[in-house]
C-alpha cells in the first residue's frame, strides 16, 4: 500500500465507523487507484488519479447490492450531486503535499454532505 492509499483509507474511515459502509475494495489501474465503499443503497468510489494528481468521488445507486454494470447507470460526481464547482488540481505541477491536502479536502466535503445524501437518495439518483 502506498502513502496516498493509506491517507485515503484513514481520511474516509468515517464511512465505515459512522455510516456502516463496507471496508473499501481497492483496485489499482495504470494511472489510478480506486477505493469502493458500499452500503445497502450506495456505492462510493474514491479515485486517486495519479496522472491529474487529483482525487475524485463518484457515487452510484446500487441494484440488488451491486454496482450496475451498464453505461446507462447513474454514476455521479460528488460536486455535481451537491451542486458546487469541482476543485481542480495543478496537474503535473501538483506537489505531494498538495495531493495529500486534496484527499483530505474531498474527504471533508463528503463528510459534510453524506448525511443529506443518504437521507434523500431518491433526489440524488433520479
Amino acid at each position: 500500500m502506498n502513502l496516498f492509499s493509506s491517507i485515503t483509507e484513514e481520511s474516509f474511515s468515517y464511512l465505515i465507523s459512522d455510516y456502516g459502509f463496507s471496508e473499501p475494495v481497492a483496485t489499482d489501474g495504470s494511472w489510478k487507484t480506486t477505493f469502493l465503499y458500499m452500503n445497502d443503497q450506495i456505492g462510493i468510489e474514491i479515485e486517486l488519479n495519479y496522472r491529474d494528481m487529483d482525487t475524485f468521488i463518484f457515487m452510484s445507486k446500487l441494484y440488488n447490492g451491486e454496482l450496475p454494470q451498464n453505461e446507462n447507470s447513474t454514476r455521479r460526481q460528488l460536486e455535481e450531486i451537491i451542486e458546487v464547482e469541482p476543485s481542480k488540481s495543478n496537474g503535473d505541477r501538483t506537489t505531494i503535499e498538495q495531493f495529500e491536502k486534496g484527499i483530505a479536502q474531498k474527504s471533508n466535503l463528503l463528510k459534510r454532505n453524506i448525511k443529506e445524501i443518504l437521507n434523500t437518495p431518491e433526489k440524488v439518483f433520479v
Side-chain angles (χ1 to χ4, degrees):
M1 180 180 297
N2 68 38
L3 172 66
F4 302 123
S5 294
S6 297
I7 291 169
T8 301
E9 287 192 17
E10 183 177 320
S11 296
F12 290 91
S13 64
Y14 64 87
L15 290 173
I16 300 164
S17 61
D18 298 346
Y19 295 98
F21 280 82
S22 63
E23 291 284 334
V25 174
T27 306
D28 289 317
S30 59
W31 285 98
K32 67 181 179 180
T33 301
T34 303
F35 299 86
L36 175 61
Y37 296 81
M38 296 192 314
N39 69 8
D40 60 341
Q41 302 174 43
I42 294 173
I44 298 176
E45 296 172 88
I46 313 300
E47 178 184 301
L48 302 180
N49 187 303
Y50 304 121
R51 185 180 307 224
D52 295 332
M53 292 297 284
D54 209 345
T55 304
F56 301 97
I57 300 176
F58 298 100
M59 303 180 84
S60 300
K61 182 177 180 181
L62 300 181
Y63 294 94
N64 298 321
E66 296 186 13
L67 288 174
Q69 298 298 316
N70 64 46
E71 65 277 349
N72 296 325
S73 66
T74 304
R75 180 178 181 253
R76 296 179 63 197
Q77 196 166 347
L78 174 63
E79 289 89 347
E80 177 188 355
I81 293 168
I82 62 173
E83 299 177 344
V84 299
E85 190 68 31
S87 61
K88 298 196 188 284
S89 74
N90 292 323
D92 61 2
R93 293 188 313 258
T94 302
T95 65
I96 290 173
E97 292 80 17
Q98 289 170 327
F99 190 37
E100 291 172 355
K101 186 176 178 182
I103 294 168
Q105 288 173 334
K106 292 291 176 108
S107 173
N108 288 331
L109 183 62
L110 179 59
K111 192 173 195 174
R112 287 192 307 270
N113 292 280
I114 188 69
K115 191 176 283 188
E116 181 179 348
I117 291 169
L118 293 175
N119 288 335
T120 57
E122 66 282 351
K123 291 180 183 177
V124 175
F125 303 107
V126 286

